């Protein structure tokens, strides 16, 4: 189910100016606006007392800023990203550090909680009752009698800047073979909405640009089209069939963790790391979407490689003509959800009982 299409040797990558879909509009997603939006979202979570910006966390981890303790006793829980941040933050705060991961982490953590097919924190946040499609369509201004594809453009600025025009052009190409098909382009709440306005004037007919909770969008959609990420697990636990793609045309689509994320800002290193990443993907990685990783089998169709929007539209059209594949995903997801066991309370109990440092 994974198909690679890597750029042939001695083939020059066309510059941005030669890719019309990439010139639709230059979106400048200011990092300050993202932090402001993150604060707004965080304030809606009653138990969350404080949020640090990436800059503050980085300075604290490296020792350039004094830790602001809300309590003398506590713990650091790593949920993803670069291990170094969690370990350094824990050392600065003098707290024990724990990790929650889909694979074992050998060193540096007091205990590692392993995410599995039957225990996953993300599954505990899934809708407990089915959402009424008709009511949700009315809420979002959609027609409940129509079927919609759902494009996720990512939450990170550099990915959104690339994927929004990429998916718009993919949908434009898809309409040539499926003219009556409509779609939703989901915009992350972390994006600065005023700077996305130019897209509304350039989007093709039948494409609805929405900023809404993912669970609301799942309720009105037939299929999710997304790059690999945590949203693929969320979709699985919401019984949302998906088509995963990673078009390796621009370096922006790859999210480099930790120190690599800083190195790629250097133009020459960016190009080198991008080529190394493609080679690594081709040789080492077996699965990309979290459902496939968790299940350890190719349930989700994945397309990773050097694909232009026209190429991706063709592959998506072929997949849409295979209703059995979509139904198979739904059946697997249903069985997984039925087998889920709570893990959140277990983690809290373990942290409180295992560590003498936490009150």
């Amino acid at each position: 189910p994974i198909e690679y299409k890597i750029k042939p040797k001695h083939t020059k990558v066309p510059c941005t100016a030669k890719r019309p879909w990439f010139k639709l509009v230059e979106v400048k997603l200011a990092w300050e606006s993202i932090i402001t939006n993150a604060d707004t979202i965080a304030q809606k979570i009653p138990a969350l007392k404080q949020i640090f910006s990436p800059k503050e966390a980085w300075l604290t981890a490296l020792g350039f800023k004094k830790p602001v303790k809300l309590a003398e006793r506590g713990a650091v829980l790593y949920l993803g990203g670069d291990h170094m941040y969690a370990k350094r933050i824990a050392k600065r705060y003098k707290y024990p550090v724990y990790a929650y991961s889909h694979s074992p982490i050998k060193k540096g953590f007091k205990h590692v909680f392993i995410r599995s097919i039957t225990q996953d924190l993300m599954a505990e946040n899934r809708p407990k009752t089915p959402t009424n499609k008709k009511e949700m369509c009315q809420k979002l201004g959609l027609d409940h009698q129509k079927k919609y594809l759902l494009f996720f453009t990512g939450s990170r600025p550099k990915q959104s800047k690339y994927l929004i025009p990429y998916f718009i052009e993919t949908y434009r190409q898809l309409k040539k073979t499926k003219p009556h098909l409509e779609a939703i382009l989901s915009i992350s709440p972390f994006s600065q909405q005023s700077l996305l306005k130019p897209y509304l004037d350039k989007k093709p007919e039948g494409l609805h640009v929405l900023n809404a909770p993912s669970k609301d969008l799942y309720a009105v959609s037939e299929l999710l089209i997304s790059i690999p990420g945590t949203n693929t697990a969320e979709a699985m636990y919401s019984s949302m069939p998906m088509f995963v793609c990673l078009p390796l045309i621009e370096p922006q689509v790859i999210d480099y963790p930790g120190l690599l994320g800083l190195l790629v800002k250097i133009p020459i290193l960016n190009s080198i790391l991008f080529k190394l990443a493609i080679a690594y993907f081709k040789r080492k990685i077996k699965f990309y979407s979290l459902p496939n990783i968790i299940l350890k089998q190719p349930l989700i169709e994945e397309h990773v490689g050097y694909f232009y929007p026209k190429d991706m539209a063709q592959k998506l059209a072929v997949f849409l003509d295979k209703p059995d594949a979509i139904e198979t995903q739904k059946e697997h997801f249903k069985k997984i959800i039925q087998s889920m066991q709570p893990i959140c309370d277990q983690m809290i109990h373990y942290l409180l009982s295992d560590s003498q440092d936490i009150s």
Side-chain angles (χ1 to χ4, degrees), residues 136 139-140 150 152 186 189 211-219 234:
M136 190 55 64
K139 176 183 175 182
L140 298 174
L150 175 59
F152 268 9
S186 174
N211 176 6
S214 56
K215 295 179 181 61
D216 292 352
L217 298 176
Y218 294 153
E234 180 188 52

Side-chain angles (χ1 to χ4, degrees), residues 250-290:
E250 290 286 340
Q252 292 97 319
V253 77
I254 301 177
D255 179 44
Y256 300 93
L259 182 60
L260 283 177
L262 297 176
L263 293 177
V264 296
K265 294 182 179 180
I266 304 173
I268 296 177
L269 288 179
N270 193 344
S271 177
I272 294 173
L273 287 171
F274 182 55
K275 292 177 181 177
L276 291 175
I278 293 178
Y280 178 79
F281 290 161
K282 185 178 180 182
R283 296 174 189 171
K284 298 291 184 180
I285 298 183
K286 187 175 182 180
F287 300 123
Y288 293 83
S289 62
L290 283 173

Side-chain angles (χ1 to χ4, degrees), residues 67-256:
V68 180
K69 282 191 174 185
L70 295 178
E72 286 300 317
R73 294 179 291 180
V76 173
L77 178 60
Y78 162 83
L79 296 174
D82 194 321
H83 299 176
M84 182 195 72
Y85 289 106
K87 294 174 184 176
R88 288 292 305 169
I89 291 287
K91 187 174 182 180
R92 295 298 318 283
Y93 276 81
K94 297 181 181 179
Y95 288 165
V97 58
Y98 300 80
Y100 172 76
S101 175
H102 66 269
S103 59
I105 304 173
K106 295 182 180 180
K107 296 181 180 179
F109 293 95
K110 188 168 185 178
H111 183 79
V112 179
F113 303 97
I114 303 297
R115 178 174 60 193
S116 68
I117 191 60
T118 58
Q119 291 188 314
D120 192 334
L121 282 177
M122 193 168 289
E124 299 195 23
N125 196 35
R126 69 184 186 276
K128 299 300 186 289
T129 56
T131 305
N132 185 284
K133 179 179 179 180
K134 184 176 180 180
E135 293 178 359
M136 190 55 64
C137 281
Q138 291 176 346
K139 176 183 175 182
L140 298 174
L142 301 172
D143 186 346
H144 72 277
Q145 295 181 335
K146 293 182 178 180
K147 294 183 178 181
Y148 298 95
L149 299 181
L150 175 59
F151 290 94
F152 268 9
T153 58
S155 58
R156 294 175 174 84
K158 63 179 182 179
Q159 290 179 335
S160 297
K161 178 181 175 182
Y162 169 65
L163 288 172
I164 290 174
Y166 183 93
F167 281 148
I168 286 177
E169 183 61 21
T170 298
Y171 176 69
R172 196 189 309 275
Q173 295 293 330
L174 185 63
K175 289 273 285 186
K176 294 179 179 180
T177 56
K178 297 184 179 296
H180 302 296
L181 190 63
E182 296 200 12
I184 298 168
L185 188 73
S186 174
I187 303 299
S188 168
F190 294 101
S191 301
Q192 190 173 1
Q193 302 304 307
S194 61
L195 297 179
L196 297 173
K197 188 177 181 300
Y199 282 110
L200 301 179
D201 301 326
K202 296 184 179 291
K203 67 182 182 67
E205 185 180 355
L207 183 64
H208 307 267
V209 180
L210 297 176
N211 176 6
S214 56
K215 295 179 181 61
D216 292 352
L217 298 176
Y218 294 153
V220 301
S221 305
E222 302 298 318
L223 179 70
L224 169 66
I225 299 95
S226 173
I227 61 172
T230 53
N231 56 288
T232 59
E234 180 188 52
M236 175 175 70
Y237 296 127
S238 299
S239 299
M240 181 79 244
M242 67 194 86
F243 176 94
V244 173
C245 59
L246 186 62
L248 299 174
I249 298 176
E250 290 286 340
Q252 292 97 319
V253 77
I254 301 177
D255 179 44
Y256 300 93

